[in-house]
Amino acid sequence: MTTNSPTKITATSEKEIIHIVARQRDYFKSGATKSYQSRIENLNKLKSALVRYESEIHAALKQDLGKPAFEAYLSETGFSLLDISETISKLKRWMKPKRTLTSLLTQPGSSRMYYSPLGVNLIIAPYNYPINLTFSPLTAAIAAGNTAVIKTSEMTPACSAVIRTLISETFTPEFIAYIEGEVQETTLLLQQKFDHIFFTGSPRVGSIVMSAAAKNLTPVTLELGGKNPCIVHEDAKLDIAVKRIVSGKFLNAGQTCIAPDYVLVHKSIKEAFLSKLKDRIISVYGEDAMASPDFARIKGVAKIGCLYRKIKTLPMKSPFSVFELNLLIFNDICKYFATPLHSER
């Protein structure tokens, strides 16, 4: 078990939040964010900042989530940098008006579709991919000519501290602002009028976000968790199947919304599948995953308890063999998931 000194989270007052949103609305109305040149300049500034802070970001990911360096680059910084580069290369084409059909009612004439920025955006990032799901939606917001207010999870204080510093050094708060705090600050933000809200998290909190947005008819993008079955039939190539399943499930210790969270295995290959799955896990992470430098950790003792309670209720008999991957892990190698990275009070 590793114990790290907690990073202090400073609360943001309601007055400050109202002031920041108002300043951003005035800045957006000035037209400063709308030109192609402005968007490209700010995307390049964001890209340079991410490169400059890459080592600090990776260290924070290690502290908050136990992410190994390669995984941090693959799923966080590298992903975000690629997203920015792709956006820069295609932005001019995306901004061009597009010809579209003209209805008979409005003939004679011609029609074009113009893409206009919405205004002040709110980005609420989750704990599991705090860098990727902060900077990828921010990239989209900047590319579309918007301003943005960012609120990260209180569960990743080290990452939040780096994001706060990066944002404050790179952009002015009337353009991109970082709001520090916990649940109370998120609640206060949702009481403000935004022009678009991007939220990643659970369906339960997503419904709260959507309800708050509906009061102002604010459009939302909700990236929520779901169920992701993985079917392994009798004719499957098991060596390939277990490699893909282990890769998808164990990335970020399974804390990925599209990770396979249960497997439907044909009964004729059940034992062979289980044997190969266990062998693959050990070949990647070793006999003692706690000592592996390539394995992240579940964030929070409460989440581990919730996971364990869920496992205890799983059905064990079915026409097909139905197994949660986490159950397989707890049966034979419980410690792979059940060790929190930090001690918590």
Side-chain angles (χ1 to χ4, degrees):
M1 182 180 298
T2 303
T3 304
N4 293 297
S5 299
T7 303
K8 185 178 180 181
I9 297 176
T10 304
T12 305
S13 70
E14 182 177 8
K15 184 178 180 180
E16 289 177 281
I17 289 172
I18 293 171
H19 179 64
I20 287 170
V21 174
R23 285 181 66 189
Q24 288 209 359
R25 193 163 301 284
D26 290 341
Y27 187 69
F28 175 76
K29 288 179 179 178
S30 75
T33 65
K34 297 180 181 180
S35 71
Y36 170 77
Q37 191 59 37
S38 170
R39 301 182 199 194
I40 287 294
E41 286 177 1
N42 284 308
L43 286 170
N44 278 314
K45 285 170 69 176
L46 179 59
K47 184 177 180 180
S48 296
L50 276 171
V51 171
R52 189 168 64 251
Y53 273 91
E54 185 174 327
S55 60
E56 289 88 343
I57 289 170
H58 288 185
L61 287 165
K62 185 69 175 178
Q63 182 177 333
D64 282 337
L65 292 159
K67 287 196 180 186
F70 176 74
E71 187 174 304
Y73 182 82
L74 175 71
S75 64
E76 301 271 13
T77 51
F79 186 99
S80 299
L81 288 168
L82 178 62
D83 197 19
I84 297 170
S85 297
E86 286 284 302
T87 300
I88 289 171
S89 69
K90 296 176 180 178
L91 182 58
K92 184 171 286 188
R93 184 166 80 249
W94 290 346
M95 290 180 66
K96 284 183 178 179
K98 290 181 172 55
R99 292 183 65 89
T100 186
L101 294 175
T102 302
S103 70
L104 182 63
L105 182 64
T106 53
Q107 293 288 357
S110 61
S111 301
R112 286 178 174 80
M113 185 182 298
Y114 291 84
Y115 298 97
S116 299
L118 292 174
V120 183
N121 287 203
L122 172 62
I123 298 168
I124 304 175
Y127 76 91
N128 57 337
Y129 289 96
I131 305 302
N132 176 341
L133 290 169
T134 294
F135 292 112
S136 287
L138 179 60
T139 297
I142 293 172
N146 300 289
T147 67
V149 175
I150 297 167
K151 172 65 176 67
T152 54
S153 172
E154 63 278 4
M155 293 179 65
T156 51
C159 289
S160 295
V162 177
I163 293 170
R164 179 189 65 226
T165 302
L166 185 155
I167 292 297
S168 64
E169 289 185 359
T170 307
F171 303 111
T172 57
E174 61 265 23
F175 177 43
I176 309 294
Y178 177 84
I179 298 297
E180 193 167 7
E182 302 190 23
V183 176
Q184 181 180 347
E185 285 71 21
T186 304
T187 303
L188 290 172
L189 282 166
L190 290 173
Q191 293 171 1
Q192 311 309 309
K193 172 68 173 73
F194 286 96
D195 301 297
H196 191 88
I197 298 174
F198 186 101
F199 168 80
T200 305
S202 69
R204 180 185 65 82
V205 180
S207 66
I208 296 171
V209 171
M210 195 166 188
S211 295
K215 295 176 182 178
N216 293 309
L217 298 179
T218 300
V220 296
T221 299
L222 302 178
E223 188 197 358
L224 309 178
K227 301 304 294 179
N228 304 299
C230 186
I231 300 172
V232 185
H233 216 303
E234 60 183 335
D235 60 350
K237 296 178 180 179
L238 289 186
D239 289 332
I240 295 174
V242 296
K243 284 181 181 179
R244 292 174 176 173
I245 291 169
V246 169
S247 175
K249 182 59 182 179
F250 284 76
L251 179 71
N252 198 24
Q255 298 168 114
T256 306
C257 62
I258 57 172
D261 48 358
Y262 65 96
V263 188
L264 301 173
V265 187
H266 194 279
K267 59 185 177 182
S268 66
I269 59 169
K270 167 189 167 183
E271 297 304 328
F273 172 78
L274 290 176
S275 177
K276 287 180 179 291
L277 182 68
K278 182 176 178 180
D279 289 345
R280 180 59 184 172
I281 293 169
I282 293 173
S283 72
V284 174
Y285 299 108
E287 293 284 349
D288 183 4
M290 287 177 11
S292 173
D294 301 316
F295 188 66
R297 293 291 186 270
I298 293 290
K299 179 61 182 178
V301 173
K303 292 190 177 295
I304 293 170
C306 178
L307 183 62
Y308 184 68
R309 287 191 297 273
K310 179 181 177 185
I311 288 167
K312 289 171 66 177
T313 66
L314 291 175
M316 292 302 295
K317 293 182 179 180
S318 169
F320 285 79
S321 300
V322 182
F323 290 95
E324 288 267 1
L325 281 181
N326 289 325
L327 179 60
L328 300 177
I329 295 160
F330 265 83
N331 276 347
D332 290 319
I333 36 181
C334 169
K335 61 188 176 184
Y336 279 30
F337 269 125
T339 304
L341 180 65
H342 309 293
S343 62
E344 300 188 16
R345 295 180 180 177

